[in-house]
Amino acid sequence: MRYKSTDWSLEVSEGWSHESDEDCTTFEHPKGVGAFQVSSYRKDEAVTDEDLREFAGEIPLAAVSFARFTGFRTRFSEDDTFWTKWWLRSGQQMIHATYNCSLADRGREDVEVSSMIESLAPEYDTNVA
């Protein structure tokens, strides 16, 4: 199933459900161990790598590239929680996505989350005039 927000979409992994509010959309599996969240922001001009770095702050970042988005990712643990965060761009759009689970469950949903993040697509014209 493809989930479509007002300005992005992704292929939802089998069995996962979603809930949306004004800040983000949260995807979870009822028998899962973590939560995957996606937020979207727009600028008047094209989003740059510098914009993404500024938004991410002073943390180590790894470059990532998917079909329609490029940007950065970081992974870390804090207390007993494991996190993966992405800052992605396409045209005037920036996506901030996070996944978290208990440290003990790290890796259990990697395939599903990777599939969803890699299927992200903009749902509007990404060309800047």
Side-chain angles (χ1 to χ4, degrees):
M1 172 188 88
R2 188 139 196 105
Y3 171 82
K4 290 186 178 188
S5 80
T6 55
D7 57 356
W8 58 270
S9 68
L10 61 73
E11 195 65 36
V12 180
S13 291
E14 187 174 336
W16 287 60
S17 61
H18 67 277
E19 225 174 270
S20 296
D21 62 31
E22 68 267 0
D23 295 325
C24 71
T25 302
T26 302
F27 299 88
E28 296 177 291
H29 192 285
K31 296 181 182 177
V33 297
F36 175 59
Q37 295 184 310
V38 180
S39 300
S40 178
Y41 307 91
R42 300 243 357 228
K43 284 183 63 178
D44 290 336
E45 63 268 350
V47 177
T48 66
D49 282 349
E50 290 296 316
D51 294 327
L52 298 180
R53 285 188 187 99
E54 183 178 325
F55 196 83
E58 297 295 319
I59 57 173
L61 298 172
V64 293
S65 181
F66 305 116
R68 301 287 299 274
F69 286 92
T70 61
F72 302 100
R73 178 194 72 212
T74 191
R75 292 180 173 163
F76 62 94
S77 58
E78 188 173 83
D79 299 320
D80 289 331
T81 304
F82 175 75
W83 291 87
T84 302
K85 295 185 177 189
W86 297 265
W87 294 268
L88 305 170
R89 64 183 180 87
S90 179
Q92 297 170 272
Q93 183 178 27
M94 182 180 82
I95 296 284
H96 180 233
T98 64
Y99 172 77
N100 69 74
C101 64
S102 72
L103 192 53
D105 290 317
R106 178 183 178 177
R108 287 189 48 198
E109 295 178 322
D110 282 358
V111 170
E112 293 89 347
V113 172
S114 290
S115 177
M116 287 188 281
I117 197 83
E118 290 172 13
S119 73
L120 267 170
E123 286 296 322
Y124 65 91
D125 186 4
T126 59
N127 293 323
V128 178

